[in-house]
Amino acid sequence: MATRLGLGLPQNRQYDLGRDVPEVARAAERVGYDSVWVYERALFPEPATQGLYGVEGLPWPDSYRHVADPLVALTLAAAATERVELGSSVLVAPLHMPFQLARTLATLDAVSGGRVVAGFGTGWSLDEYAASGIRPIKERGRVLDEVIDVCRAVWGPDPVRHHGRIAQIDSAVVGPKPARPIPVLLAASTARARERLVEHADGWLPIGTGVEQVATQWHALQDLAAERGRQQPIRTVLRVNARFSAEPRGGAGRRPFHGSADQIAEDLLPYAELGLQEILVDVQSGARDAQELKDVAAEVYERARAAGV
């Protein structure tokens, strides 16, 4: 069975949000992509008080200076398409008030006919947590747990009830409801995060940082699921951050997913062979404009299918 393919929507500075997001979403659906995706980066601290991913000295990419709101982008894509799923990889869930986030996702799922995939992560930016003002970053795991609990309650039958550290819902009717149960996927790379996923979520959002690393994490997740007696399959959507080059890049030092459409497609194959269900390809950072993004996305899709992905 062919691996499902998704495409990252344009959110960065070089794009016109109102025009380019719908155009790229429609083009992705027309080409054959199964889904379109957004990510979240709330701000760009200057000067940086913390390295990228919390790693000291690692600079933030310039593309993070201007990232459109993910939920607005998904709404634009929903209005322009009929078939593709609408996913986040990832929303930094603890930056959002749980009740409002649950209602927004429910409404988006209702109006799109049941196409939302809620991909959550805890994030790592001290500045983003300080700006959101919801809870300190040290509590991000507990906040994510409550976000999931509130979403399940709000998306479920009325009356809705929830008593947590952030949200208090005694008994209420909350609508609209999603068109179908919204799948919750998590970016889980630590042991505690894997436990949360196995116990409370529907799927996993790994990042294509290396085939062996992803394979090790995937096996650990499967082993934990078996140990805990989980019966529900774990959905998998791998994020690949690719950078297109019109000229093929060769040599042993070529970075994976950096090069021509052929090379990017070839780099997808070993990940597909791991048995992951879906691969999200994000090529927006290297494209000059929406037209180039659409052209590259179409070529990567064609080459990936030809390569057996």
Side-chain angles (χ1 to χ4, degrees):
M1 184 176 180
T3 304
R4 287 167 51 92
L5 290 175
L7 181 69
L9 289 170
Q11 295 173 261
N12 295 347
R13 185 189 300 273
Q14 69 267 42
Y15 302 106
D16 181 312
L17 182 67
R19 179 192 66 203
D20 293 344
V21 171
E23 284 190 6
V24 171
R26 279 192 294 265
E29 186 168 74
R30 184 168 58 250
V31 165
Y33 280 94
D34 299 287
S35 54
V36 292
W37 296 79
V38 293
Y39 75 103
E40 182 161 37
R41 194 83 281 135
L43 51 74
F44 189 101
E46 199 167 45
T49 56
Q50 176 190 27
L52 183 69
Y53 310 131
V55 178
E56 185 176 356
L58 189 62
W60 291 45
D62 194 61
S63 60
Y64 283 1
R65 290 180 179 274
H66 181 104
V67 180
D69 181 272
L71 295 173
V72 172
L74 277 188
T75 301
L76 290 168
T81 56
E82 297 179 354
R83 176 185 56 82
V84 289
E85 285 194 303
L86 309 158
S88 56
S89 177
V90 297
L91 281 177
V92 185
L95 302 183
H96 300 261
M97 293 298 292
F99 180 70
Q100 286 85 341
L101 180 60
R103 289 196 66 243
T104 298
L105 291 171
T107 301
L108 183 57
D109 192 75
V111 301
S112 67
R115 293 190 282 143
V116 170
V117 179
F120 295 153
T122 56
W124 45 268
S125 170
L126 298 170
D127 296 276
E128 289 181 339
Y129 271 82
S132 73
I134 296 174
R135 302 298 298 177
I137 194 170
K138 65 182 180 181
E139 298 180 20
R140 60 190 182 273
R142 283 183 289 178
V143 177
L144 177 56
D145 288 336
E146 183 160 358
V147 168
I148 296 172
D149 288 344
V150 171
C151 284
R152 301 292 195 200
V154 168
W155 300 341
D158 293 322
V160 173
R161 297 183 178 90
H162 173 83
H163 298 282
R165 300 177 71 246
I166 302 173
Q168 297 290 329
I169 310 170
D170 289 331
S171 179
V173 174
V174 183
K177 299 297 184 183
R180 88 316 186 204
I182 298 175
V184 173
L185 279 60
L186 301 180
S189 57
T190 67
R192 175 65 190 100
R194 285 193 289 269
E195 290 177 358
R196 177 183 293 112
L197 191 158
V198 167
E199 294 169 2
H200 302 297
D202 302 294
W204 180 43
L205 295 167
I207 299 178
T209 54
V211 177
E212 291 184 3
Q213 181 179 0
V214 172
T216 298
Q217 293 175 342
W218 180 219
H219 293 321
L221 191 56
Q222 290 174 304
D223 289 344
L224 180 62
E227 176 186 313
R228 298 292 173 88
R230 177 181 172 124
Q231 300 298 315
Q232 180 188 16
I234 297 174
R235 178 175 175 178
T236 53
V237 182
L238 175 83
R239 166 176 274 278
V240 167
N241 296 315
R243 195 167 190 90
F244 171 76
S245 172
E247 296 297 326
R249 299 182 182 182
R254 182 181 72 85
R255 293 176 60 187
F257 308 117
H258 281 55
S260 67
D262 271 329
Q263 290 173 323
I264 293 172
E266 289 173 5
D267 291 340
L268 298 177
L269 188 57
Y271 288 94
E273 291 173 343
L274 294 177
L276 303 177
Q277 295 169 312
E278 185 165 354
I279 300 176
L280 148 64
V281 184
D282 194 324
V283 293
Q284 68 172 302
S285 63
R288 291 170 296 183
D289 53 32
Q291 186 59 55
E292 184 171 61
L293 174 54
K294 290 186 290 184
D295 292 344
V296 172
E299 192 173 358
V300 168
Y301 183 90
E302 179 183 342
R303 298 290 190 269
R305 292 306 188 210
V309 176

